[in-house]
Amino acid sequence: MSETADREDRTLPPSEKRLREARERGDVPRSRELANVAVLGCASLALLATGGRVGASAQGWMREALTLDPGIVGHQDRLIPHAVELLFGLFAPLLPVLAVALLACLIAPAVTSGLRFSGKALRFDLLKLNPMTGLARMYGRDGWVELLRSLLRVALVGAIGAWVVHRIFLQVLGMMRQDLAVAAAEGVSLLFHCFLATLGGLALLAAIDVPYQRWNWRSKLKMTKQEARDEAKESEGNPEVKAKVRRLAMQLSQRRMMEAVPTADVVVTNPTHYAVALKYEAGKMRAPKVVAKGTDEIALKIREVANAHKVSIVEAPPLARALYRHAELEREIPVKLYAAVAQVLSYVYQLKRWHPAHGPMPVLAEVPVDRALSDGAVPGGEAPR
């Protein structure tokens, strides 16, 4: 019941991170049927290609094995080396076939999941020795599927074998009247065709098993909603921590802005909702640069710092809105605002040089700003004020 309930809770597909971690620990889809077909098929092709040489070697070996060597008569110490030599002569012709079969073992994992080596899969794990885990695996869904696959394999191979025997039965009876060499060659041919028919049946079973193993592997790795949320927090970071980091970054940015306000030449205001501090150094800058900007409370703080350090404050609402909307912090102002800002800076410089003995105090004329630049929503969706 617990396994069934756990499977029902796992409704979300596995993430790429979960799939990658499974591959790293050696948990990949495996198909025994495909492995059997690959090994038997490749070994059959290798045997077919080298059959003539193997047959000739077998005849020579048989002749040598049945021929009495006078050199070992009365010399018991030579029996073991002679037996080893005969065994090597028996297996030597089959070494290419065995090598091909060994390499064919890599075909099944390459097709199902790609060739991967995992050191984690080789680590000693006591849980693998837990009998309860083994019983759960034997009598769980995977155990029943394995039993069904084994029964299907036996039934399929048995049916193919019966069909082949039925077809070649008369040929086998006729071989008793043939010459020994001819009968042996025909018998080998019949056995080979029988083997190929069986291999075809196993290939059909493998074609069904490979997609199932892939589906079953991904099904086991499905995630619950809580696991998906935990993984998202792991990979993207805890939302609370990220919000705290954003707040700290904003505070640092505001602190840097307030430290730069005393170096500004002028603060352009709305007069209360917007404040933009500008700095210009002739010969070093191509255009004035924004060193601080903000709205509402930040704008009030900019004005307070400007007043404390005797930085000129100029009320020009359209220009303040345009600068806030289109000028970036620590960047030069847009070209379209050059004329308006130049007029404000000229007024500030005149005001700094003014003395009552020089006549009336300079007055700032209306600053011309394109209405399209000053009107409209500001970043964050706030309407102009």
Side-chain angles (χ1 to χ4, degrees), residues 2 23 48 54 74 90 104 106 111-112 160 188 191 198 208 219 222 237 244 268 306 316 324-325 350:
S2 60
R23 295 188 186 101
L48 182 63
V54 171
L90 176 64
L106 303 176
V111 171
T112 53
I160 292 175
V188 171
L191 286 175
T198 305
I208 301 173
S219 178
K222 281 186 176 181
K244 186 175 181 179
V268 184
Y324 184 84
R325 288 189 62 201
Q350 291 177 16

Side-chain angles (χ1 to χ4, degrees), residues 26 63 135 148 243 364 367 384:
R63 189 180 301 109
L135 290 174
L148 178 63
L364 178 64
V367 180

Side-chain angles (χ1 to χ4, degrees), residues 187-251:
V188 171
S189 177
L190 291 176
L191 286 175
F192 186 73
H193 283 86
C194 181
F195 181 77
L196 289 181
T198 305
L199 190 62
L202 293 177
L204 177 62
L205 188 60
I208 301 173
D209 186 58
V210 170
Y212 168 76
Q213 293 297 338
R214 288 179 175 174
W215 171 84
N216 187 44
W217 178 67
R218 296 183 71 93
S219 178
K220 288 180 180 178
L221 294 176
K222 281 186 176 181
M223 307 170 68
T224 63
K225 294 181 180 179
Q226 183 60 42
E227 287 175 339
R229 285 193 291 266
D230 293 342
E231 185 177 295
K233 287 182 180 179
E234 250 179 61
S235 57
E236 300 177 4
N238 192 309
E240 297 177 358
V241 175
K242 291 173 68 177
K244 186 175 181 179
V245 171
R246 284 196 297 269
R247 286 196 301 270
L248 291 174
M250 187 176 298
Q251 292 173 2

Side-chain angles (χ1 to χ4, degrees), residues 56-350:
S57 299
Q59 289 181 359
W61 180 86
M62 183 69 70
R63 189 180 301 109
E64 183 180 356
L66 296 178
T67 300
L68 180 62
D69 186 3
I72 64 174
V73 177
H75 300 279
Q76 296 181 357
D77 56 328
R78 297 182 181 179
L79 288 177
I80 294 179
H82 182 68
V84 171
E85 184 179 352
L86 287 177
L87 287 176
F88 181 77
L90 176 64
F91 287 106
L94 295 176
L95 286 179
V97 178
L98 296 176
V100 170
L102 184 61
L103 291 176
C105 295
L106 303 176
I107 294 179
V111 171
T112 53
S113 59
L115 293 177
R116 299 176 185 277
F117 177 79
S118 174
K120 294 181 180 180
L122 301 177
R123 294 177 182 174
F124 179 75
D125 189 359
L126 287 174
L127 294 177
K128 295 180 180 179
L129 303 178
N130 188 351
M132 299 305 297
T133 305
L135 290 174
R137 185 169 57 252
M138 290 174 59
Y139 296 101
R141 189 182 73 171
D142 293 342
W144 288 106
V145 170
E146 181 63 31
L147 176 62
L148 178 63
R149 187 165 57 239
S150 299
L151 294 175
L152 182 60
R153 186 190 307 119
V154 172
L156 185 62
V157 172
I160 292 175
W163 174 74
V164 172
V165 170
H166 175 73
R167 292 201 60 179
I168 67 173
F169 184 71
L170 295 178
Q171 291 178 263
V172 173
L173 291 179
M175 288 168 56
M176 292 186 297
R177 297 185 295 271
Q178 295 176 350
D179 183 69
L180 180 59
V182 176
E186 187 172 349
V188 171
S189 177
L190 291 176
L191 286 175
F192 186 73
H193 283 86
C194 181
F195 181 77
L196 289 181
T198 305
L199 190 62
L202 293 177
L204 177 62
L205 188 60
I208 301 173
D209 186 58
V210 170
Y212 168 76
Q213 293 297 338
R214 288 179 175 174
W215 171 84
N216 187 44
W217 178 67
R218 296 183 71 93
S219 178
K220 288 180 180 178
L221 294 176
K222 281 186 176 181
M223 307 170 68
T224 63
K225 294 181 180 179
Q226 183 60 42
E227 287 175 339
R229 285 193 291 266
D230 293 342
E231 185 177 295
K233 287 182 180 179
E234 250 179 61
S235 57
E236 300 177 4
N238 192 309
E240 297 177 358
V241 175
K242 291 173 68 177
K244 186 175 181 179
V245 171
R246 284 196 297 269
R247 286 196 301 270
L248 291 174
M250 187 176 298
Q251 292 173 2
L252 290 174
S253 176
Q254 292 176 4
R255 185 181 304 170
R256 286 196 300 268
M257 283 198 310
M258 298 309 165
E259 292 174 354
V261 169
T263 65
D265 295 310
V266 63
V267 174
V268 184
T269 64
N270 193 33
T272 57
H273 294 298
Y274 292 83
V276 180
L278 301 173
K279 179 180 180 180
Y280 178 66
E281 296 181 14
K284 295 183 179 180
M285 299 180 181
R286 295 182 305 173
K289 181 176 69 174
V290 177
V291 295
K293 68 175 183 176
T295 60
D296 298 329
E297 294 181 1
I298 298 178
L300 176 61
K301 184 65 176 176
I302 291 174
R303 292 196 303 272
E304 289 177 353
V305 175
N307 283 324
H309 292 83
K310 302 185 183 306
V311 177
S312 301
I313 300 177
V314 177
E315 293 184 10
L319 179 59
R321 291 197 299 268
L323 287 169
Y324 184 84
R325 288 189 62 201
H326 300 285
E328 297 182 15
L329 196 63
E330 299 295 332
R331 297 288 182 86
E332 295 178 354
I333 63 173
V335 176
K336 294 182 179 180
L337 297 176
Y338 277 8
V341 172
Q343 182 177 340
V344 171
L345 289 175
S346 176
Y347 165 72
V348 170
Y349 295 153
Q350 291 177 16

